[in-house]
Amino acid sequence: MKTVNDYNFKDKKVLVRVDFNVPQSADLKVTDNSRIQAVKPTIDKILNDGGSVILMTHLGRPKGKPSEEFSLKNIVPEIEHVLGHHVEFCSDCLGEDAQNMTGALKNGEILLLENLRFYNEEEEGNVEFAHKLAKYADAYVNDAFGTAHREHASTAVIAQFFPKTKFFGLLMAKELTAIDKVLKNGEKPVLAILGGSKVSTKITIIENMLPAVDHLIIGGGMAFTFVKALGGSIGKSLVEEDKLGLALQILEKAKAQNVKVHLPVDSVIADEFSNDADRSEVDIFDIPEEWMGMDAGEKSRKLFHDVIINSRTILWNGPIGVFEMPHFSEGTISLGDSIAEAIELGAFSLVGGGDSVAFVKQFGYEDKVSYVSTGGGAMLESLEGKELPGVKAIND
Ligand code: AMP
């Protein structure tokens, strides 16, 4: 893996693709700057070498048209704050101004180009557009893990114009190393915890992970499809009727590959999908007709705890209950605690993809796990075993 640490950028202008697609408030202030913080080490490395940085990113979905709402001008103060450095802003990523400003950039300076998605050519992966951007710089760095699963002009296509001077940023390197640590060289026993709502969205991940893991915990809404397939009564719980056969096939495949599957054994149930619903706790194979499973019960938490603390490598994707509702968040909290305990015992844990990341941030577990991925879709596609276009473009 060729990263920015393998090169000295002295006197070089470096185009750095970042993912500053940050959440904003109604008055367009940045509400979470973690994506900016995440790329600071890469930017610092280039500046400390004596190079200059041209930042490019997208923000939101402006659909090929410039707009105030999606202008990167609004986030410049927060970028300056996080980087602790002045940032020049160019109000277009192409055109005369961009050419002049990139041309005049001096060592030690940072320039931010306006939203790439103000041009349709970005998402179309247009080669000419990529070539125009490429002309600004001597080197190209991709540190935008969050968009690495897209074959866009600035995330993949542009790399061909830097055959010898294209590099992974340090965030990309960290993400890719974390994935490899689970899928390729994880210390055994390796455990994957898959929760969330639907089997259908996780099926490729499960299949891809089977050869890599020793244990698989299946929790959350998708567990009920497995329980029903095994003959359980699940009441009104979430189920994908057309995936019952598939669920049985997965269990068979797991068995054939010596993967031990752990399903919940009990469930916190509710009489309606609401935080204020009446609650009870029952055997997961025996949920009354008008009730639905909302969270892992006490026995399941204990079962999962024992598997987790005996694992050395843990991947976690998806909550195991409706954690958005306080009365049904206890199972996911207990799971987070068990993972934290495993970390103290020396395990490695990667939290990746969507709602488990939201959970970890909201409930303060970020520092209690080994690595929290910054890329939802990119992480899911990696776990599915796909080679990300943004990664391939640098490796080729
Ligand atoms: P996903 O995006 O597939 O990872 O699913 C995340 C969602 O799964 C969260 O919004 C949870 O509320 C939901 N979820 C977890 N457990 C259950 C459950 N038992 N019933 C319904 N939804 C659930």
Side-chain angles (χ1 to χ4, degrees):
M1 199 192 316
K2 222 163 86 176
T3 79
V4 289
N5 282 339
D6 299 316
Y7 193 75
N8 189 327
F9 292 94
K10 184 161 173 42
D11 297 329
K12 302 289 183 212
K13 287 190 176 123
V14 191
L15 258 176
V16 185
R17 178 51 159 107
V18 291
D19 177 10
F20 285 174
N21 186 26
V22 290
Q24 287 167 285
S25 59
D27 61 351
L28 304 176
K29 296 238 161 57
V30 177
T31 54
D32 179 353
N33 64 19
S34 28
R35 287 186 168 173
I36 305 173
Q37 281 183 41
V39 296
K40 186 174 186 310
T42 296
I43 295 169
D44 286 347
K45 157 72 169 101
I46 296 167
L47 296 181
N48 288 338
D49 278 356
S52 57
V53 171
I54 303 163
L55 293 172
M56 51 178 186
T57 179
H58 74 283
L59 175 68
R61 296 179 183 271
K63 305 220 165 77
K65 281 198 203 77
S67 75
E68 270 298 300
E69 183 190 353
F70 295 115
S71 173
L72 292 172
K73 185 179 65 192
N74 303 312
I75 68 168
V76 170
E78 190 63 25
I79 299 174
E80 291 189 317
H81 168 69
V82 175
L83 299 182
H85 198 288
H86 174 67
V87 174
E88 282 291 323
F89 175 67
C90 182
S91 59
D92 194 347
C93 63
L94 296 185
E96 220 172 286
D97 276 357
Q99 272 173 31
N100 292 338
M101 289 179 84
T102 52
L105 201 66
K106 296 197 183 64
N107 291 342
E109 292 181 342
I110 304 176
L111 171 71
L112 172 69
L113 299 176
E114 181 58 291
N115 199 335
L116 295 161
R117 289 196 189 168
F118 284 176
Y119 291 86
N120 279 324
E121 286 86 341
E122 162 65 357
E123 288 186 79
E124 289 163 3
N126 183 291
V127 179
E128 208 29 60
F129 178 77
H131 195 194
K132 283 181 188 161
L133 295 169
K135 285 183 182 153
Y136 301 150
D138 308 300
Y140 167 71
V141 170
N142 189 348
D143 213 13
F145 183 71
T147 43
H149 57 314
R150 308 282 183 216
E151 195 155 5
H152 293 170
S154 70
T155 60
V157 178
I158 194 169
Q160 65 189 279
F161 300 108
F162 300 91
K164 296 220 164 72
T165 50
K166 51 181 182 175
F167 306 91
F168 289 112
L170 299 173
L171 171 67
M172 275 283 245
K174 258 202 309 201
E175 296 272 359
L176 299 174
T177 306
I179 296 165
D180 275 0
K181 245 181 168 165
V182 174
L183 286 182
K184 293 198 183 139
N185 40 36
E187 192 186 334
K188 284 175 166 290
V190 181
L191 160 70
I193 305 166
L194 297 176
S197 49
K198 289 183 172 173
V199 184
S200 50
T201 59
K202 304 279 160 95
I203 176 67
T204 332
I205 297 182
I206 300 180
E207 288 184 333
N208 184 51
M209 295 212 66
L210 284 181
V213 305
D214 305 293
H215 293 268
L216 177 63
I217 289 178
I218 296 177
M222 71 176 187
F224 298 103
T225 299
F226 287 85
V227 172
K228 179 155 187 185
L230 290 168
S233 304
I234 58 162
K236 285 199 301 185
S237 305
L238 201 66
V239 66
E240 287 170 280
E241 295 285 350
D242 60 334
K243 297 286 180 290
L244 297 173
L246 186 68
L248 291 179
Q249 278 172 26
I250 292 174
L251 294 177
E252 273 167 28
K253 271 191 195 167
K255 201 170 172 190
Q257 298 187 48
N258 272 328
V259 177
K260 184 128 182 42
V261 178
H262 309 271
L263 286 164
V265 290
D266 58 355
S267 182
V268 177
I269 56 170
D271 59 351
E272 57 177 354
F273 192 74
S274 148
N275 186 46
D276 302 322
D278 280 341
R279 272 173 292 156
S280 183
E281 200 161 312
V282 297
D283 185 307
I284 203 163
F285 277 76
D286 216 359
I287 298 177
E289 231 167 71
E290 293 304 310
W291 292 65
M292 63 188 85
M294 300 282 275
D295 197 7
E298 200 62 49
K299 289 186 191 132
S300 310
R301 295 176 205 174
K302 167 86 176 63
L303 174 88
F304 295 164
H305 174 265
D306 292 346
V307 179
I308 290 168
I309 60 157
N310 284 304
S311 298
R312 299 294 295 169
T313 304
I314 303 164
L315 166 87
W316 179 22
N317 170 272
I320 60 158
V322 186
F323 76 98
E324 298 92 336
M325 299 181 191
H327 286 153
F328 305 104
S329 61
E330 289 297 325
T332 307
I333 290 173
S334 150
L335 189 93
D337 287 338
S338 303
I339 295 176
E341 206 178 315
I343 297 311
E344 280 179 13
L345 295 168
F348 172 83
S349 68
L350 163 64
V351 182
D355 272 329
S356 35
V357 174
F359 169 84
V360 162
K361 288 188 170 181
Q362 190 182 330
F363 287 80
Y365 284 87
E366 253 177 312
D367 297 330
K368 297 181 187 164
V369 295
S370 314
Y371 191 70
V372 183
S373 175
T374 58
M379 177 52 72
L380 293 180
E381 290 196 16
S382 303
L383 296 175
E384 284 175 357
K386 295 184 188 152
E387 189 180 18
L388 307 178
V391 175
K392 186 171 185 302
I394 302 275
N395 282 336
D396 273 352

